[in-house]
Amino acid sequence: MKLLYNGLYLLLVLVCLLYLIWIQKGSAIGWQLKPVTDANLPKVSIIIPTLNEERNIRNCLESLKNLDYPKEKIEIIVSDGGSKDATVQIANEYADMVIVDSEVPRGWMGKSYGCYLGYKESKGDILLFTDADTFHEERSLKINIFQLLGSESTLVSMLPYQKAKKWYEYIIGYYFFLSYFVGGPMKDIIDKNNKRAYMAIGQYLLFTRKGYEIIGGHEAVKHSLIEDIALAKRVKEFGQKIYFLEPNRLVSTRMYPDNFLSFYKGFKKVIFEGLFNFPIWRIFFIILWISYSFISAFFVVQTIVAVSYTHLTLPTN
């Protein structure tokens, strides 16, 4: 029986490693930048949905104001869902427009509705939807615009660099590690003919306005709890192209600085819905990875706490 357990464990390890190698091999995709002079850069509407974000919004808006991009070609729109704190007052110091609407229509999720309201008021040829807890490096927008144009994509998204200070915040890395796997290799994600591989992160969604409108925008996914994945899926369904960038520090975030409970609630509500947005066979590999993680952790703990009997003197006859 022990031999059987060892064999099954070895098989689990090999399958997980082979899947990891397959993902990595298919993700060695470089940048496809198309530099454009400042005079020819498109106008960008940056839309930030907010709700009680006074702790984060100033840092985010200051970073957006300091972007290395022609100021006359950026408009910042904050779409607030009726904050009870100082979010709106702070936003008014920086944003070109602040929309406040606390009435979410039936069938809409709050964040998607906020993004939709911001889009309706926007005038840019490019739409950037980002979160209040993000920080944007000065060159981030220009580089990602170059990538959007160079790759001829409808959507450029990325996994922001995740800042962590408390112990539970490091778990976020494992969640995104699994998300990275379930999305598929990068070469499949950026292949507009591959309808089964898609990925996007709601903290950074850079759309061409034309492409966003073709797929129906946030209105088409208004019921979805994980609107970023739903939007990415629609991009592929409409034969458009996604470019999902490898992790970098152009945009960073610290998602749950308050406490473990906020982290738990935040991820609990999206994990299970996310499982229904990807092919079953990819979910199978995620389950294998989780199983491997728990089994490995068990053996590590067992090794640490195991009692050593080497010091005992055996009785003699």
Side-chain angles (χ1 to χ4, degrees), residues 289-299:
W289 266 103
I290 294 173
S291 301
Y292 170 61
S293 301
F294 280 109
I295 293 173
S296 298
F298 169 77
F299 283 124

Side-chain angles (χ1 to χ4, degrees), residues 155 199-203 205 224-233:
L155 167 63
M199 178 57 67
I201 302 296
Q203 291 165 320
L205 300 172
S224 178
L225 194 61
I226 48 173
E227 82 293 338
D228 46 7
I229 299 299
L231 286 167
K233 187 176 182 179

Side-chain angles (χ1 to χ4, degrees), residues 34-46 63-76 124-128 136-149 204 206-207:
K34 181 182 179 181
V36 178
T37 62
D38 283 3
N40 292 318
L41 284 169
K43 182 168 183 176
V44 183
S45 297
I46 304 175
S63 72
L64 293 174
K65 280 293 188 180
N66 291 325
L67 288 170
D68 177 21
Y69 204 88
K71 305 307 178 187
E72 69 278 6
K73 293 189 176 184
I74 291 182
E75 64 171 354
I76 300 174
D125 299 312
I126 305 295
L127 304 171
L128 170 58
H136 302 250
E137 296 295 338
E138 290 184 10
R139 60 197 183 118
S140 61
L141 180 59
K142 187 175 286 187
I143 288 177
N144 288 322
I145 291 288
F146 290 170
Q147 181 65 28
L148 185 71
L149 300 176
Y204 202 94
L206 187 69
F207 279 98

